[in-house]
Amino acid sequence: MFNPHAKIGSKAAHDRLLRDRAIEEGATLFRKLGGDAAIRLVSEGLLDRSKSADERRHDRLMIVELERLDRIQRHGPPSYALAVWKPPLFSIARLKTFFGGRRA
């Protein structure tokens, strides 16, 4: 399954496949059981000591996906509105010093 002596590219590909599979399975569980029941079911599986590190990581990634889907269901999709940019405040005195100070 996971080879610690493998090249970086194969480790990244393995992690990507693990994450994609966890997202897919998490979405399926969420549709089938709902948020709370699915999270409870996957969390109980984390206590099993016979699972490998990859299987535990897969379960943790599924929980993250289930929590994200539950949050979207409760609060709606995240808003991507841009924050209003406010220019820094300049006083008249600062502007005068910036543009040449006093003229007599």
Side-chain angles (χ1 to χ4, degrees), residues 7-54:
K7 293 182 180 179
I8 296 294
S10 63
K11 288 180 187 178
H14 174 75
D15 286 347
R16 191 177 317 112
L17 287 173
L18 189 69
R19 186 180 62 244
D20 291 345
R21 196 178 84 196
I23 288 172
E24 182 181 329
E25 290 179 13
T28 304
L29 267 178
F30 185 80
R31 280 192 303 268
K32 193 181 288 186
L33 301 176
D36 293 334
I39 291 172
R40 195 174 320 111
L41 178 72
V42 176
S43 296
E44 289 172 0
L46 283 174
L47 299 175
D48 186 11
R49 296 280 185 194
S50 64
K51 288 188 173 184
S52 69
D54 278 346

Side-chain angles (χ1 to χ4, degrees), residues 68-69 71-80:
R68 185 187 71 83
L69 291 171
R71 191 170 40 252
I72 287 173
Q73 183 183 25
R74 290 182 193 206
H75 303 293
S79 66
Y80 293 106

Side-chain angles (χ1 to χ4, degrees), residues 48-94:
D48 186 11
R49 296 280 185 194
S50 64
K51 288 188 173 184
S52 69
D54 278 346
E55 291 171 334
R56 288 192 308 270
R57 183 163 185 264
H58 175 264
D59 288 349
R60 287 192 303 270
L61 289 170
M62 277 181 56
I63 289 173
V64 168
E65 178 64 14
L66 289 168
E67 289 172 346
R68 185 187 71 83
L69 291 171
D70 189 43
R71 191 170 40 252
I72 287 173
Q73 183 183 25
R74 290 182 193 206
H75 303 293
S79 66
Y80 293 106
L82 295 174
V84 176
W85 181 77
K86 294 182 181 179
L89 296 175
F90 284 105
S91 65
I92 301 293
R94 186 176 293 189

